[in-house]
Amino acid sequence: MKKLKINTGRNKYDYTEIMIFIFVFTSNISAIACFSEMESIQLLCKFVELILIMILGIQLLRLKLVQKEVLTIIILLSIFTIVLLESKTIVFILSILLYISSKDVDFKDVTNLIWKAYLLLIVFSFILYFFGISDGGISRTYSSIRAAKAYGFTNANSGGYFFMMLFLSKMATDAPKSIKRFHVSTKAIFNILLYIFSLFMCYNVFKCRTGFVTCVLAVVLLIFLKKIDFKKIFLKYLLCLVHPIVLIGTVILAEIYPTKIMIYLDRILTSRFFLNNYHLINNRLTFFGSDIDYSKYTLDSSYMSYLLQYGIVPSIIYVVVSALVILKAWKKRDGFIIAIELAFLAYGFMENGIFDMINNFSYLYLIIGNKMGYKSTNKEYSRYKGE
């Protein structure tokens, strides 16, 4: 099937890539304070998303799929339809449609559009703030020193999250084929300055410690991956166990809460253990999820949130997907993807929503074949394989 393209100057983007850009924009625009309470904007975004879902569904029917792929899609759609009925959320149906429809798109084109979407939202929020239209006030008040303005966002944490996503998606876009090669250029210097600015805004302006630590962790992991031998099988499978270990650990820690050391750590982690414990006690743990009551307390952990709201089965599916992403990236020696995926997994322990495909773009890496947007050939990979 011939794919339709949209020409935007030097780049030609697939319609699926443009739809991902729109989904990122519409799903995050409510983080801007003046839009968070406007029902008309919310309804418009939902209407746009519904139209795009229909388009993705039609595009899915036009794809040439083998019998195994069709069977997998039917099973996943059946599971997530049950999740939709139980938890009243359509996020998984959307994820499946995006996942399959992205089969023939370019990964770097996708991440290039994602970081631009977040940059556009950031600029939009600051403009509205300075014109006095959108103001989320001071939302971080750990102390007078750590008080932070939201600068147009609903809260300062949202602003920090946007700069974190800008940092990580730009990092994925700029990733070279081999992480052991780095060439100094004007573009590279510009990117480094953008990374530094994102870290500064995340930590010093929005006081978002989790977002800042996630970005730093991604860089540290990348440096570590530059030093390792990708032929070490043990380390590959050890990294695949990070997701299930953190998931099981989150449940165990919630079960044994409170202990003296956990109460102490909870003061540092802003009640994460308490919130996990409260929701685990007061909500049902089911196979396909249930509707969670957030009226009294919020729930920040992605692991606990997905386990309770979406159920055991979808949580296991995400564990498998994370492992497959790491395995594929390891095979292709794409250390940037491994570093970003592990950083996302760490972020999910403290914050919610990071397992949605709209947020965790590394999941798209699994379905997107060899169209990685790199100018280099597979010569290095062939040499690694001994061909």
Side-chain angles (χ1 to χ4, degrees):
M1 181 182 68
K2 187 177 181 179
K3 303 286 285 184
L4 295 175
K5 300 282 184 177
I6 296 178
N7 195 338
T8 58
R10 291 183 299 175
N11 298 89
K12 288 185 178 181
Y13 293 108
D14 185 278
Y15 269 86
T16 303
E17 297 163 3
I18 297 296
M19 284 189 280
I20 292 174
F21 172 88
I22 296 173
F23 273 126
V24 171
F25 192 88
T26 57
S27 62
N28 286 288
I29 196 170
S30 59
I32 298 177
C34 65
F35 296 133
S36 62
E37 302 297 332
M38 293 177 62
E39 293 186 6
S40 58
I41 294 295
Q42 301 301 318
L43 288 174
L44 177 61
C45 289
K46 294 298 180 184
F47 176 75
V48 171
E49 290 177 1
L50 181 61
I51 296 298
L52 293 179
I53 288 174
M54 293 172 62
I55 295 173
L56 285 172
I58 295 172
Q59 183 169 323
L60 177 62
L61 295 175
R62 298 175 61 191
L63 287 176
K64 294 180 180 179
L65 303 172
V66 299
Q67 185 176 0
K68 183 179 178 181
E69 292 174 326
V70 173
L71 181 60
T72 302
I73 293 171
I74 292 174
I75 293 174
L76 291 177
L77 285 178
S78 300
I79 291 173
F80 293 142
T81 299
I82 299 174
V83 174
L84 170 64
L85 297 174
E86 293 292 333
S87 63
K88 310 297 188 296
T89 178
I90 200 170
V91 63
F92 287 104
I93 301 294
L94 171 59
S95 295
I96 289 297
L97 292 175
L98 275 176
Y99 184 81
I100 304 300
S101 299
S102 301
K103 183 178 179 181
D104 297 322
V105 304
D106 191 307
F107 182 74
K108 290 191 71 174
D109 278 348
V110 171
T111 56
N112 189 38
L113 287 173
I114 288 175
W115 79 262
K116 289 176 180 177
Y118 280 107
L119 180 61
L120 180 61
L121 286 164
I122 290 169
V123 172
F124 198 28
S125 181
F126 271 88
I127 290 175
L128 292 174
Y129 170 77
F130 285 114
F131 277 95
I133 299 173
S134 181
D135 189 359
I138 297 177
S139 59
R140 287 201 174 273
T141 54
Y142 302 127
S143 66
S144 59
I145 297 177
R146 288 198 58 79
K149 287 185 178 181
Y151 288 103
F153 294 101
T154 52
N155 55 69
N157 195 51
S158 295
Y161 168 79
F162 275 45
F163 274 100
M164 180 197 78
M165 292 301 295
L166 172 63
F167 183 100
L168 295 177
S169 54
K170 191 71 171 71
M171 179 177 171
T173 304
D174 297 332
K177 177 63 179 178
S178 172
I179 64 173
K180 294 185 177 181
R181 291 187 175 184
F182 178 79
H183 301 284
V184 177
S185 64
T186 303
K187 181 180 179 181
I189 294 173
F190 169 79
N191 291 336
I192 291 173
L193 291 176
L194 181 61
Y195 296 144
I196 293 173
F197 176 70
S198 298
L199 291 174
F200 173 81
M201 295 297 293
C202 195
Y203 187 79
N204 291 83
V205 176
F206 290 108
K207 317 296 182 185
C208 183
R209 297 175 297 180
T210 307
F212 174 80
V213 170
T214 301
C215 294
V216 173
L217 177 62
V219 175
V220 171
L221 287 170
L222 181 60
I223 294 173
F224 168 74
L225 289 166
K226 288 179 66 176
K227 305 294 183 181
I228 67 169
D229 182 1
F230 276 81
K231 295 180 181 179
K232 291 183 178 180
I233 305 299
F234 171 76
L235 182 58
K236 174 176 66 174
Y237 291 111
L238 181 63
L239 295 179
C240 291
L241 292 175
V242 170
H243 192 150
I245 288 173
V246 178
L247 174 61
I248 296 171
T250 298
V251 176
I252 293 175
L253 291 174
E255 284 282 1
I256 67 175
Y257 182 89
T259 61
K260 288 184 178 180
I261 188 170
M262 289 182 70
I263 292 174
Y264 171 77
L265 291 174
D266 232 9
R267 296 171 184 170
I268 302 174
L269 301 176
T270 57
S271 303
R272 269 13 181 227
F273 293 137
F274 164 75
L275 294 173
N276 289 343
N277 171 263
Y278 173 85
H279 282 285
L280 185 61
I281 293 173
N282 292 278
N283 292 281
R284 295 183 300 117
L285 180 58
T286 65
F287 283 103
F288 297 102
S290 60
D291 198 10
I292 299 181
D293 181 15
Y294 292 110
S295 59
K296 189 172 182 180
Y297 292 112
T298 185
L299 179 57
D300 291 320
S301 170
S302 290
Y303 295 92
M304 186 60 70
S305 174
Y306 276 64
L307 190 61
L308 293 176
Q309 186 171 359
Y310 304 134
I312 296 173
V313 174
S315 295
I316 292 175
I317 290 175
Y318 270 101
V319 167
V320 174
V321 170
S322 293
L324 292 175
V325 167
I326 292 173
L327 289 174
K328 179 177 179 179
W330 190 279
K331 181 179 180 180
K332 294 181 175 292
R333 298 193 297 172
D334 287 321
F336 278 79
I337 300 300
I338 299 173
I340 290 170
E341 172 61 12
L342 293 175
F344 275 139
L345 293 178
Y347 181 84
F349 180 76
M350 294 290 292
E351 300 293 345
N352 199 356
I354 204 59
F355 295 139
D356 294 350
M357 189 168 292
I358 292 297
N359 297 320
N360 191 338
F361 53 84
S362 63
Y363 289 152
L364 290 170
Y365 178 86
L366 182 59
I367 191 64
I368 297 176
N370 294 319
K371 292 192 65 178
M372 297 304 299
Y374 299 112
K375 293 181 179 179
S376 60
T377 64
N378 289 331
K379 185 176 180 181
E380 295 173 352
Y381 176 57
S382 298
R383 185 165 59 250
Y384 163 68
K385 293 281 288 184
E387 297 174 358

